[in-house]
Amino acid sequence: MSSLHKSRIADFQDVLKEPSIVLEKLRELSFSGIPCEGGLRCLCWKILLNYLPLERASWTSILAKQRGLYSQFLREMIIQPGIAKANMGVFREDVTFEDHPLNPNPDSRWNTYFKDNEVLLQIDKDVRRLCPDISFFQRATEYPCLLILDPQNEFETLRKRVEQTTLKSQTVARNRSGVTNMSSPHKNSAPSALNEYEVLPNGCEAHWEVVERILFIYAKLNPGIAYVQGMNEIVGPLYYTFATDPNSEWKEHAEADTFFCFTNLMAEIRDNFIKSLDDSQCGITYKMEKVYSTLKDKDVELYLKLQEQSIKPQFFAFRWLTLLLSQEFLLPDVIRIWDSLFADGNRFDFLLLVCCAMLILIREQLLEGDFTVNMRLLQDYPITDVCQILQKAKELQDSK
């Protein structure tokens, strides 16, 4: 470890040990990258995403309250009708004359249960494929959810719910328009997601199952948006960061902490996932056009070239902006980019500048290429040095 890196760690520790943390100092330090040693990044992200307050004295009580609230969510939303097993004549309170699995009443708990399965199947399909370049999400977590996996309770896990659902013979997909499409898997040659990875023994669960639970609870609590494909790419880096915290006390609560940080982050970017808002000033179309207007201001020649070739920002910037670049780079690089995004006071204005910087850094290739070549460049971005991209984005910010 270099003396410069040790000095940076010391700077972070000095800021974080203050009774009342000075947010501007923390943002300034974090913008240039947060060290992962000692759980610094995990702690800084929780502060920058407004999960932890600036007053250190209140952390213990707030964490206890939020983690307790998440346990309550688990009880109310995972332990649902039909999950308690009937043992030795125990009365099934969830199956009554008034409410039963065949009840057509839209207010029926069972009807809700089956509708939730549609959302769950799409979440399950997506989280099983999360970050395929690393094995982390397929490995067992050190801290499985004992509330659900406790053998004394024999509750149904989401994994079992997916395997047992009557919808398992169909592929369910919900797009940003809110349309649910269902098709037979026989029309799709891709292997079934249920069989892609080996199922862990009873009492264990993979990290992707934890992410699945987080997204399912989020969907239940936010029915207006529920789950839209791509949210898994937002929660993945958050959970990975918290679940690899060197501090075991914090790592044990990675699920709850991730849920609340994800919820806070989604509060800022959820408009990107709502199609009805696309053309509003807070919608994704406006943001994509802002990337091009910024490019026009910074590099008019490149802007005109892309316009001449009819390369619209929707062809590439939609994914860049909606998923916070999580699909363009490897996970460690995404995490480094997010250090700067979370640290910037106008963090999603800075994201627009990052996208603009990405275009300018490959300007020579774009100016020489035809439509096909340029589309390939933009959809499979060639530069892997994210520090170079962030530096260029900062230069664009400073030149305003």
Side-chain angles (χ1 to χ4, degrees):
M1 186 187 298
S2 69
S3 57
L4 179 60
H5 191 67
K6 289 180 180 178
S7 176
R8 278 188 57 74
I9 291 174
D11 289 341
F12 273 94
Q13 290 172 337
D14 288 343
V15 169
L16 293 170
K17 73 182 181 183
E18 292 294 327
S20 181
I21 294 166
V22 180
L23 184 58
E24 284 309 310
K25 285 185 179 179
L26 182 62
R27 282 177 169 169
E28 184 180 351
L29 281 173
S30 301
F31 189 84
S32 300
I34 306 171
C36 59
E37 288 85 359
L40 287 174
R41 174 175 282 125
C42 306
L43 180 54
C44 289
W45 279 18
K46 287 167 186 169
I47 297 169
L48 294 171
L49 290 172
N50 302 314
Y51 177 47
L52 287 178
L54 299 178
E55 303 298 326
R56 285 178 55 93
S58 59
W59 286 1
T60 301
S61 60
I62 285 177
L63 287 172
K65 177 184 176 183
Q66 295 299 86
R67 290 164 178 173
L69 179 60
Y70 187 75
S71 294
Q72 183 180 333
F73 291 157
L74 291 176
R75 292 186 182 94
E76 293 177 359
M77 297 173 207
I78 304 297
I79 302 172
Q80 281 286 338
I83 43 186
K85 293 183 178 178
N87 284 321
M88 299 165 60
V90 174
F91 180 64
R92 293 291 299 277
E93 294 182 353
D94 53 342
V95 180
T96 65
F97 181 77
E98 293 81 11
D99 194 9
H100 50 80
L102 299 181
N103 187 352
N105 187 335
D107 295 327
S108 161
R109 288 193 305 163
W110 280 95
N111 189 52
T112 300
Y113 178 83
F114 293 131
K115 283 187 175 181
D116 288 345
N117 282 351
E118 295 183 22
V119 176
L120 177 58
L121 281 179
Q122 181 61 51
I123 294 173
D124 186 82
K125 178 182 173 183
D126 292 344
V127 296
R128 286 174 184 261
R129 296 181 174 92
L130 194 57
C131 297
D133 51 307
I134 61 173
S135 62
F136 171 81
F137 288 97
Q138 280 68 56
R139 297 204 306 264
T141 172
E142 296 176 53
Y143 301 99
C145 182
L146 297 180
L147 184 65
I148 294 171
L149 295 177
D150 184 351
Q152 303 248 338
N153 291 320
E154 298 188 352
F155 294 133
E156 180 186 60
T157 64
L158 292 183
R159 180 216 302 169
K160 289 180 181 176
R161 181 167 167 178
V162 168
E163 292 168 352
Q164 295 171 1
T165 180
T166 56
L167 291 172
K168 69 181 177 183
S169 62
Q170 295 173 307
T171 300
V172 181
R174 182 173 185 241
N175 60 28
R176 289 175 66 254
S177 303
V179 176
T180 300
N181 299 314
M182 303 175 66
S183 61
S184 169
H186 298 297
K187 296 179 182 178
N188 189 342
S189 60
S192 168
L194 292 176
N195 300 319
E196 284 183 4
Y197 302 109
E198 182 179 352
V199 176
L200 296 170
N202 287 338
C204 298
E205 61 181 353
H207 288 292
W208 66 260
E209 295 182 76
V210 181
V211 174
E212 179 174 66
R213 199 157 50 234
I214 292 168
L215 288 169
F216 182 73
I217 291 176
Y218 179 83
K220 289 282 291 177
L221 288 172
N222 297 272
I225 185 172
Y227 173 77
V228 179
Q229 207 164 20
M231 289 181 183
N232 57 307
E233 306 295 348
I234 301 296
V235 75
L238 287 173
Y239 175 73
Y240 174 84
T241 300
F242 297 157
T244 55
D245 192 323
N247 184 331
S248 59
E249 185 180 347
W250 289 80
K251 181 160 61 172
E252 182 179 357
H253 298 285
E255 179 176 352
D257 294 348
T258 299
F259 171 80
F260 288 108
C261 286
F262 172 70
T263 299
N264 289 353
L265 181 56
M266 281 300 299
E268 298 184 56
I269 66 171
R270 61 179 288 162
D271 292 349
N272 295 345
F273 292 89
I274 303 175
K275 186 173 178 57
S276 61
L277 296 177
D278 277 1
D279 296 323
S280 68
Q281 192 162 349
C282 60
I284 190 66
T285 301
Y286 173 82
K287 293 169 186 172
M288 290 187 291
E289 291 173 351
K290 191 73 183 293
V291 172
Y292 262 27
S293 64
T294 304
L295 178 65
K296 183 179 181 181
D297 182 48
K298 303 297 182 182
D299 191 334
V300 67
E301 182 183 7
L302 178 56
Y303 166 79
L304 291 174
K305 175 70 174 181
L306 296 177
Q307 290 286 80
E308 176 192 323
Q309 293 184 342
S310 297
I311 296 179
K312 302 181 183 300
Q314 289 89 332
F315 298 163
F316 61 94
F318 175 84
R319 187 176 72 184
W320 291 7
L321 293 168
T322 303
L323 303 184
L324 307 185
L325 299 170
S326 60
Q327 289 289 281
E328 314 313 313
F329 304 99
L330 296 177
L331 183 57
D333 295 324
V334 172
I335 289 171
R336 171 61 191 90
I337 291 172
W338 286 16
D339 284 346
S340 295
L341 289 183
F342 295 166
D344 193 84
N346 300 309
R347 51 175 152 254
F348 301 111
D349 287 340
F350 186 70
L351 176 61
L352 301 178
L353 293 173
V354 172
C355 294
C356 189
M358 290 170 65
L359 294 171
I360 292 173
L361 286 173
I362 57 170
R363 72 182 306 277
E364 300 304 325
Q365 294 157 274
L366 291 171
L367 290 173
E368 293 174 6
D370 58 18
F371 176 86
T372 303
V373 169
N374 286 346
M375 283 301 301
R376 191 177 299 120
L377 279 171
L378 294 170
Q379 293 181 350
D380 187 13
Y381 192 74
I383 294 179
T384 58
D385 185 353
V386 297
C387 290
Q388 180 186 6
I389 295 168
L390 291 169
Q391 181 179 354
K392 184 65 178 178
K394 187 68 169 68
E395 290 173 4
L396 295 176
Q397 186 182 54
D398 293 342
S399 66
K400 278 188 175 182

